[in-house]
Amino acid sequence: MAARTPERDRARPPVRRASEVRLYGLNACLALFARRPQDLRKLWLSESRIGALKPVLAWCVKQRIGYRVVADEDLARLAGSSHHEGVVFDALRREEPTLEAWLRGLPLEGPVLALWLDGVGNPHNLGAILRSAAHFGVAGVLLPHGSGLGLSGAAARVAEGGAEAVPLVRLPAMREALQRLAAAGFALAATVVRDGTPLYAAELPARLVLVMGAEGEGVDPALAAACAQRLGIPGTGAVESLNVAAATAVFLGEWWRRHRQPYPLDR
């Protein structure tokens, strides 16, 4: 029997625990290392990424964390994607705080924006939403009770590091979540395709939860009915609606314009 090559041995994906996630993409992996290097468990990289990942490799040596330089085809197999950008991490999952714990950590005064994702399931949409959320300072992305939505390697790559900047918060049942958010001073606004108040003419409270619905189905009618506002994005009508990730960016940008200070470079 022919012996397996060392390259094949190195590229064999290890068994991962439920508490671990496989991440890939340079910015996603660097963001994890910058914020929580202690959660890194295993690293694979291409030879071309050795320079960009020198601090990570030095950490791995110091902490006795395994890493391997492998071929691009092995990285694609490890990531399950050709979009690995030359690096794959196995790392501990970031803990999803409960709604109660998340609320305790918020400032008592001042503007706070959160997103409630109702029925959104595509990991690429989640990643794009997290990227916009990080850019516009969203305090948390709220995930419905019982939803299977969570951070995956694909979502983290598309988020370009944003997944490490914005917590994913697991909600209790809808009625309890609504009560707790209201008690914490949040107004809720459901985003809709038709018959909503145009975004640029609407009041946008400083402490706001924007409820974004799945494409096609939209926001659950019971949840939309519980919201104080129904908001839409005005446009030409040449297409029915925006992709949920693109729509989210529009809503977040308008809220930021009204409630947050300019970027330092604008001062």
Side-chain angles (χ1 to χ4, degrees), residues 2 36 176 183 258:
R36 47 188 185 103
E176 180 182 351
R258 298 193 198 185

Side-chain angles (χ1 to χ4, degrees), residues 115 117 120-133 136 158-159 191 210 212-215 233 241-253:
L115 292 170
L117 303 186
V120 176
N122 184 293
H124 294 90
N125 281 337
L126 175 60
I129 287 169
L130 285 169
R131 185 175 183 176
S132 295
F136 289 113
V158 174
T191 59
L210 280 169
M212 308 299 303
E215 292 181 53
I233 300 172
S241 64
L242 293 175
N243 166 277
V244 64
T248 298
V250 173
F251 282 110
L252 299 186

Side-chain angles (χ1 to χ4, degrees), residues 3-267:
R4 288 178 298 194
T5 64
E7 288 77 12
R8 291 299 178 196
D9 285 341
R10 287 200 298 265
R12 287 178 66 195
V15 176
R16 275 175 290 137
R17 301 174 182 175
S19 60
E20 295 179 352
V21 63
R22 179 156 295 161
L23 302 182
Y24 54 92
L26 184 62
N27 287 338
C29 291
L30 287 176
L32 181 145
F33 180 72
R35 288 178 177 264
R36 47 188 185 103
Q38 71 281 358
D39 288 346
L40 178 59
R41 291 294 178 267
K42 187 83 173 179
L43 164 64
W44 298 266
L45 71 157
S46 66
E47 188 172 358
S48 64
R49 287 300 189 197
I50 291 175
L53 294 167
K54 274 187 177 180
V56 185
L57 299 180
W59 169 271
C60 288
V61 171
K62 184 178 180 180
Q63 302 298 322
R64 299 185 179 181
I65 295 170
Y67 71 88
R68 296 289 185 272
V69 177
V70 297
D72 280 350
E73 56 266 29
D74 292 326
L75 289 170
R77 183 162 48 251
L78 288 160
S81 169
S82 62
H83 302 293
H84 50 75
E85 299 174 13
V87 58
V88 177
F89 279 9
D90 271 359
L92 292 181
R93 288 187 178 276
R94 190 179 177 195
E95 185 178 353
E96 293 179 353
T98 64
L99 178 59
E100 183 178 3
W102 177 74
L103 289 171
R104 282 199 306 267
L106 296 178
L108 297 178
E109 297 180 354
V112 179
L113 179 62
L115 292 170
W116 181 326
L117 303 186
D118 180 50
V120 176
N122 184 293
H124 294 90
N125 281 337
L126 175 60
I129 287 169
L130 285 169
R131 185 175 183 176
S132 295
H135 182 76
F136 289 113
V138 169
V141 171
L142 314 182
L143 306 179
H145 178 72
S147 167
L149 186 62
L151 187 67
S152 64
R157 182 192 66 82
V158 174
E160 294 286 352
E164 295 298 322
V166 183
L168 297 177
V169 181
R170 190 63 59 176
L171 293 173
M174 185 176 74
R175 180 175 296 181
E176 180 182 351
L178 291 169
Q179 291 172 344
R180 291 191 178 187
L181 288 167
F186 282 96
L188 271 76
T191 59
V192 296
V193 174
R194 289 175 291 277
D195 302 324
T197 301
L199 170 63
Y200 306 112
E203 294 290 332
L204 292 181
R207 296 176 77 88
L208 179 66
V209 175
L210 280 169
V211 183
M212 308 299 303
E215 292 181 53
E217 296 83 3
V219 176
D220 178 86
L223 179 54
C227 295
Q229 292 177 286
R230 296 165 63 88
L231 303 177
I233 300 172
T236 65
V239 294
E240 182 181 14
S241 64
L242 293 175
N243 166 277
V244 64
T248 298
V250 173
F251 282 110
L252 299 186
E254 179 61 11
W255 182 89
W256 173 278
R257 185 185 70 82
R258 298 193 198 185
H259 293 293
R260 300 299 292 265
Q261 294 298 314
Y263 290 110
L265 58 82
D266 293 332
R267 291 175 180 171

